[in-house]
Amino acid sequence: AAFEEIYGFPVDGILDTEVWSVLAADAEPVLVPYVVAAEDLAGPFLGVVPRDYAEMALLARVGYATPAEMFAERFHMDIDLLRELNPEIATVTVGATLTVAATGRNLRLSIARLEADKTLGQLRGYDLEGRLIVAYPATIGSTDTPSPSGLHSITVVVTDASYTYRPQVNFQQGNNVSVLTIPPGPNN
């Protein structure tokens, strides 16, 4: 549906002939091989990521649970699709070849407005004219950890940031009533 909106098709979420013709015009493969390197498996991997914020706060880094989780995120894939394409992913070794999604080239676009759409589960970027130009799947809060609604201004972008849990300001998770600093990492 986002693709249809970006390319000016009626937004119905149906992969019809017209939509397919635009998709097919990009002759790059959708899936590509990736050879697993030693660095990919160096970890550390947590095995299980704690769900309790107090336990997370004790970690040095809230890293990936498994190499499969890391590969899925790196190649912008649902982990179930990665597993379907690579049944050996749980025991993958250095030198193994995985089938992964081709992530494509990085685009340089001017984004005037970002919208986190809770209903669609997407982060959507718009240009100055208000046209949708990018749409990414995103986890935007939950009933346990809701995201705020409203209009917000981005004042700084921090990569690999820690998270400050403030139960008196945002929400309370379980029995955690104190302010906690959750260390950086993909699962913080």
Side-chain angles (χ1 to χ4, degrees), residues 39-115:
E39 311 81 73
D40 294 327
L41 303 180
F45 296 102
L46 298 176
V48 175
V49 177
R51 296 187 63 80
D52 184 82
Y53 285 3
E55 292 176 30
M56 280 185 178
L58 298 174
L59 298 172
R61 180 170 179 75
V62 189
Y64 292 109
T66 63
E69 181 188 28
M70 178 201 62
F71 285 123
E73 186 165 315
R74 180 184 299 169
F75 294 104
H76 310 271
M77 300 174 70
D78 181 87
I79 196 162
D80 291 335
L81 175 59
L82 179 73
R83 287 182 180 130
E84 184 72 25
L85 294 171
N86 303 280
E88 75 287 1
I89 192 69
T91 58
V92 71
T93 57
V94 173
T97 300
L98 300 176
T99 299
V100 298
T103 57
R105 62 194 182 284
N106 289 332
L107 299 176
R108 300 282 182 211
L109 303 170
S110 292
I111 305 291
R113 177 174 59 94
L114 289 173
E115 180 181 295

Side-chain angles (χ1 to χ4, degrees), residues 153-183:
S153 295
I154 298 170
T155 55
V156 66
V157 176
V158 179
T159 56
D160 207 27
S162 61
Y163 170 70
T164 303
Y165 164 73
R166 301 173 302 170
Q168 291 77 18
V169 176
N170 300 111
F171 62 92
Q172 183 176 335
Q173 187 227 25
N175 295 322
N176 294 316
V177 294
S178 300
V179 172
L180 299 168
T181 301
I182 311 298

Side-chain angles (χ1 to χ4, degrees), residues 3 7 22-23 25-30 32 74-76 101-109 133-134 136:
F3 181 88
Y7 284 90
V22 174
L23 283 169
D26 184 0
E28 296 180 29
V30 174
V32 294
R74 180 184 299 169
F75 294 104
H76 310 271
T103 57
R105 62 194 182 284
N106 289 332
L107 299 176
R108 300 282 182 211
L109 303 170
I133 55 175
V134 294
Y136 300 103

